[in-house]
Amino acid sequence: LLACNSEGVIKDDKGVYVTFRGTIIEINGHRAIVYSKGDARTLVDLSVNSAVTFQVGDEVEVGYDGVIRESELAKINTLSVE
């Protein structure tokens, strides 16, 4: 299952994964809620990029494995955040 709001599919040394862009609207510890096109809210694991201190309002590009677990928030296996 690939997300409807996907911006791209990337193939590199991590394998094939999907990316999307969004804005951080809430941070709780190492997890953030990212708002993207189509009113999608996705739970993102920020700990995959410990070199950056993310803040609410940051525009981010998120890479994940293409699998979305549906709930109140879309849940993904975060592979990258920039």
Side-chain angles (χ1 to χ4, degrees), residues 2-72:
L2 297 179
C4 295
N5 62 352
S6 301
E7 286 194 357
V9 176
I10 296 173
K11 184 174 182 178
D12 67 5
D13 60 341
K14 296 177 189 173
V16 176
Y17 64 98
V18 180
T19 64
F20 70 91
R21 289 187 150 306
T23 304
I24 296 175
I25 59 172
E26 184 178 322
I27 296 176
N28 186 2
H30 66 275
R31 295 183 181 244
I33 298 174
V34 175
Y35 179 83
S36 59
K37 293 180 187 177
D39 295 329
R41 295 181 309 140
T42 305
L43 189 60
V44 173
D45 182 357
L46 299 177
S47 70
V48 299
N49 186 351
S50 59
V52 176
T53 301
F54 295 99
Q55 297 180 23
V56 171
D58 285 352
E59 296 286 327
V60 293
E61 181 170 306
V62 179
Y64 66 103
D65 62 4
V67 176
I68 301 173
R69 294 177 306 283
E70 301 272 341
S71 65
E72 180 181 342

